[in-house]
Amino acid sequence: AELAELVVPGLQVDGEEARASALIAAMRQLIDDLELPATLAAAGVSAADLEMLAKDAMEQQRLLVNNPRDVSYEDALGIYQAAYGEYS
């Protein structure tokens, strides 16, 4: 939500959820416009690598300590699994 106004200049929406939704829509449009791979699968990542990626993410303590929420291995794996799947 904090980045929305930087990515979507002149954004005129109220509320954190609306700003976050506007940012997501803008990023999806950018992905489509630039024809970038929108999922880990489309980027060539193997499903077999998701557990390793989640494990490696848990070792990035300098990033995890600044995260506003605690992240467990299961959380990280779920994020990678979601990013691996179908783009919509």
Side-chain angles (χ1 to χ4, degrees):
E2 292 176 18
L3 295 175
E5 293 174 17
L6 297 172
V7 176
V8 186
L11 181 64
Q12 298 291 322
V13 297
D14 289 326
E16 191 170 289
E17 188 170 331
R19 287 192 305 275
S21 293
L23 174 63
I24 292 167
M27 296 306 293
R28 286 185 172 176
Q29 187 62 54
L30 183 62
I31 288 168
D32 292 343
D33 290 349
L34 297 176
E35 299 179 3
L36 297 172
T39 64
L40 291 176
V45 174
S46 168
D49 291 334
L50 299 181
E51 290 183 7
M52 179 214 39
L53 291 170
K55 181 179 174 279
D56 288 351
M58 298 310 299
E59 294 176 6
Q60 304 305 315
Q61 289 300 311
R62 66 181 174 80
L63 300 174
L64 291 172
V65 297
N66 293 318
N67 200 53
R69 295 183 184 174
D70 288 336
V71 178
S72 68
Y73 167 81
E74 289 76 19
D75 295 328
L77 181 58
I79 291 167
Y80 280 111
Q81 289 169 332
Y84 185 84
E86 187 175 322
Y87 174 72
S88 56

